[in-house]
Amino acid sequence: MTEKKAKVAVLVSGGGTNLQAIIDAEKNGTIRSGTVSLVVSNNENAYALTRAANAGIETAVLLRKLFESSEAFEQALIRTLEEKGIDLIVLAGFMTILSERFTTRFRNRIINVHPSLIPSFCGQGFYGLKVHEEALKKGVKVTGATVHFVNEIPDGGEIIFQKAVEVLPGDTPETLQKRVMEQAEWILLPAAVEEISKRICTEE
Ligand code: GAR
């Protein structure tokens, strides 16, 4: 008998290196309680879509500009996720803030990876390279990444995992981003997908 697995959707906007880490973790057995069933992008040029296609994962593209309001965009997103029977939504570099309407619909079923140690350098306006630029500007010696549940407060939901990463002399936003991804994000996010998928499977 095959064990039940949580159906996971990964929401992306860009390069998709975190998506790749999840795909690889499923392949090598680090993720065994969940399976990536869908990748949704709000950017038709996201390289993450190619990564999904290469792995044989179904994709959907939803462009905000094709909807008259963010509410209509979110409704379409909800429909896409529900049609597929998604149990867990993973925001992996998804550069759109979701409203309370969306987050309450999937309470404790949405997780996000953020490239800092929350509550530092987080909230509205802190995304991607900008986070690392601000960390360097402040002169912090340690930064890191956080995986957390998503609620109505941007980067404000319960923390699942965090990992610290050293800032080194001479770092640029790009070198720091790479170290934080390699040493923290690509490890924490797959681990959290497994942990929450396992919880979901045992709840049901
Ligand atoms: C990652 O560093 C992720 O933590 C960050 O965007 C990058 C996406 O890279 N997310 C945020 O800043 C969210 N606030 P990827 O597309 O290669 O995974």
Side-chain angles (χ1 to χ4, degrees):
M1 204 177 84
T2 48
E3 267 176 69
K4 187 192 175 301
K5 290 188 180 207
K7 283 180 139 193
V8 178
V10 183
L11 275 50
V12 297
S13 301
T17 63
N18 278 287
L19 167 67
Q20 191 65 56
I22 293 169
I23 292 171
D24 294 347
E26 189 179 338
K27 224 176 263 170
N28 72 26
T30 307
I31 296 177
R32 46 189 190 284
S33 307
T35 185
V36 180
S37 307
L38 181 67
V39 169
V40 184
S41 176
N42 62 352
N43 166 12
E44 71 265 55
N45 299 314
Y47 185 67
L49 288 169
T50 304
R51 295 180 190 274
N54 288 343
I57 299 166
E58 185 181 329
T59 59
V61 175
L62 289 178
L63 302 181
R64 168 64 186 87
K65 64 178 183 212
L66 297 185
F67 295 89
E68 60 189 12
S69 62
S70 49
E71 185 171 354
F73 168 77
E74 280 188 356
Q75 286 303 345
L77 184 56
I78 290 171
R79 259 198 314 277
T80 306
L81 296 165
E82 288 188 342
E83 269 165 18
K84 209 55 200 150
I86 294 301
D87 300 301
L88 174 63
I89 300 163
V90 179
L91 309 186
F94 186 62
M95 299 304 179
T96 293
I97 290 180
L98 297 163
S99 76
E100 186 166 1
R101 186 179 49 238
F102 189 94
T103 58
T104 50
R105 183 86 167 229
F106 298 100
R107 188 160 289 292
N108 292 327
R109 294 296 174 100
I110 317 172
I111 65 174
N112 178 49
V113 61
H114 183 77
S116 75
L117 292 173
I118 289 175
S120 289
F121 312 113
C122 65
Q124 201 131 18
F126 285 92
Y127 56 87
L129 265 188
K130 172 93 179 145
V131 177
H132 304 293
E133 278 164 21
E134 293 301 316
L136 289 175
K137 231 185 260 171
K138 186 69 191 175
V140 294
K141 304 299 176 209
V142 172
T143 183
T146 304
V147 178
H148 62 91
F149 283 110
V150 174
N151 65 10
E152 63 284 1
I153 303 157
D155 297 323
E158 185 194 334
I159 291 171
I160 302 167
F161 292 134
Q162 280 189 311
K163 190 164 186 284
V165 174
E166 231 186 325
V167 179
L168 297 179
D171 261 339
T172 62
E174 289 78 10
T175 60
L176 185 55
Q177 178 182 54
K178 184 162 179 281
R179 190 175 317 109
V180 169
M181 284 177 155
E182 286 173 352
Q183 294 186 8
E185 295 186 49
W186 301 342
I187 300 163
L188 294 190
L189 190 59
V193 170
E194 171 55 22
E195 169 70 23
I196 307 306
S197 294
K198 198 161 60 187
R199 276 190 219 171
I200 289 171
C201 291
T202 51
E203 264 168 20
E204 285 167 355

